[in-house]
Amino acid sequence: MNPRAGEAVMIDQDGLARLSAGARMFATGAAESAHTLTLDWAGSLIGPGVELVTAGGLAPDTLCVAVSLVGSTTALGEQLPRGDEPARAVRALERRLGERAGAVVALNLAAENALVPLIAAAQLGVPLVDGDGTGRVFPLLEQTTYALGGMSPAPLALAGGSGELVLLETAGDRVEELMRPVVLSVGGWAVAACYPMATGDLARVLVPGTVSLLLRAGEPGAPRATAAPFGVRTLCRGRILTVEGSTGHGADLSLPSLPSSIVVQETEGLRRLVRLEAHNEIVLALADGAAVAMTPDQICMIATADGMVVDVDKAVPGLEVDVMVVKAAPVWHTERGQRLGGLHAFGIPL
């Protein structure tokens, strides 16, 4: 159900289970232990439920803060949270701004990042806005529709699992550069409170309705395509032949992982050789040498055996996968969107 003006929609325990399931449909980089931990964390706090609202349903001058897990989900599963990280991060940002947040919103809605803003809303007693800042996932904090709309991720507050609290004030395009070593120094993960903005601005830059969409996608029997607001297609079904390192792109970029290539032999239809070029995520698909899909659309591998997303670093020869392409929000296909989230942003001059 989508929230409408004057109508209260609550995400309760049942809704939490559906949101958790829907958020994993196309999520890469999700660690099972971290997701289970975050789900239990949210379940312990949600009580009678968290109110889900539209950005337009709030007063336009209401301060809204984006809340997200940053760093490694594997590290989260190994270094457990104290439990107050989302609230501590938001409160620190509030102190810097001299204003209380009246709502929180997601940076993106992949796996744990769909649940951490819900935890923050429950801890703070404020509503969660129905939408997010990507409509998919990008590796860098500044790769958001919020940034495309002129909003800055800074000032930004980071709360670590051992009580650390760090405030970053810098130009928006330097946040990732400064944040990453800080996150490593506090244990490999933290909760960030960022992109503070009035909900009047949020309504302009948000990808709306995506929380409601994942609640529907998480219902038993719902097709996977329900989790793709702008459409999805299956590029091919095939078996992974090789996984290899690549030095063909991205050498001058600062991204969280090294480039790699995955070659898939199509087992149906034209039986093409499909090469997937990856840099933190799959950014380009070539079928018999011709480009057939590329970022800003999301390209992912789904294991046919269990229907789970296969991360680039978990791909192994012999695994049968469906290669699927999730259409990005229209703003990502504008000239500005292509500069921020297209191939050039990953160092590929195609």
Side-chain angles (χ1 to χ4, degrees):
M1 178 183 293
N2 294 77
R4 293 186 289 268
E7 176 185 331
V9 173
M10 304 298 290
I11 301 178
D12 55 12
Q13 292 288 347
D14 175 68
L16 173 61
R18 288 185 286 120
L19 179 62
S20 171
R24 299 194 71 182
M25 292 294 182
F26 294 109
T28 58
E32 184 66 36
S33 60
H35 190 77
T36 301
L37 182 154
T38 312
L39 179 59
D40 291 343
W41 186 6
S44 71
L45 294 168
I46 199 169
V50 167
E51 186 178 6
L52 183 67
V53 299
T54 63
L58 297 167
D61 60 350
T62 302
L63 175 64
C64 187
V65 173
V67 178
S68 180
L69 180 72
V70 292
S72 165
T73 56
T74 301
L76 173 61
E78 295 171 350
Q79 181 177 323
L80 302 183
R82 297 197 326 182
D84 63 349
E85 289 83 358
R88 279 197 295 119
V90 174
R91 292 301 187 213
L93 190 56
E94 289 174 336
R95 289 193 295 273
R96 161 61 182 82
L97 298 170
E99 183 180 357
R100 285 287 192 184
V104 297
V105 68
L107 195 67
N108 68 69
L109 289 168
E112 297 84 3
N113 274 332
L115 306 181
V116 172
L118 191 69
I119 292 169
Q123 290 178 330
L124 299 167
V126 300
L128 175 69
V129 175
D130 190 6
D132 75 291
T134 61
R136 49 153 298 176
V137 183
F138 285 100
L140 303 182
L141 198 73
E142 57 261 33
Q143 290 176 306
T144 66
T145 60
Y146 305 150
L148 285 177
M151 310 311 296
S152 174
L156 172 149
L158 291 171
S162 297
E164 304 90 349
L165 197 56
V166 179
L167 185 70
L168 290 180
E169 295 206 47
T170 185
D173 60 0
R174 292 201 65 207
V175 166
E176 187 76 29
E177 173 190 352
L178 297 174
M179 182 186 70
R180 200 179 307 154
V182 172
V183 171
L184 288 173
S185 72
V186 301
W189 72 271
V191 173
C194 53
Y195 286 101
M197 68 186 100
T199 53
D201 289 320
L202 178 63
R204 175 177 57 84
V205 300
L206 183 72
V207 181
T210 48
V211 176
S212 292
L213 181 142
L214 293 186
L215 287 168
R216 295 195 300 274
E219 293 174 354
R224 186 182 295 270
T226 308
F230 304 101
V232 61
R233 61 188 171 98
T234 300
L235 184 62
C236 73
R237 172 169 289 188
R239 197 170 300 280
I240 295 175
L241 290 183
T242 62
V243 180
E244 56 196 40
S246 170
T247 57
H249 63 274
D252 58 339
L253 298 178
S254 177
L255 287 168
S257 71
L258 296 174
S260 60
S261 294
I262 300 165
V263 178
V264 177
Q265 173 69 66
E266 192 173 25
T267 54
E268 301 175 355
L270 298 175
R271 300 187 180 277
R272 301 166 294 180
L273 276 180
V274 177
R275 176 177 288 272
L276 306 174
E277 294 290 342
H279 200 162
N280 199 80
E281 61 176 81
I282 301 169
V283 296
L284 175 65
L286 302 164
D288 289 340
V292 289
M294 64 187 71
T295 186
D297 292 339
Q298 181 182 358
I299 306 166
C300 55
M301 298 177 290
I302 310 293
T304 59
D306 59 8
M308 298 300 291
V309 176
V310 179
D311 289 338
V312 171
D313 60 355
K314 300 295 194 301
V316 293
L319 184 65
E320 186 180 62
V321 297
D322 287 324
V323 180
M324 304 188 78
V325 183
V326 182
K327 188 76 171 176
V331 69
W332 288 113
H333 290 279
T334 64
E335 184 177 347
R336 290 191 66 206
Q338 289 283 354
R339 284 201 302 269
L340 189 61
L343 286 178
H344 283 273
F346 293 88
I348 302 178
L350 185 66

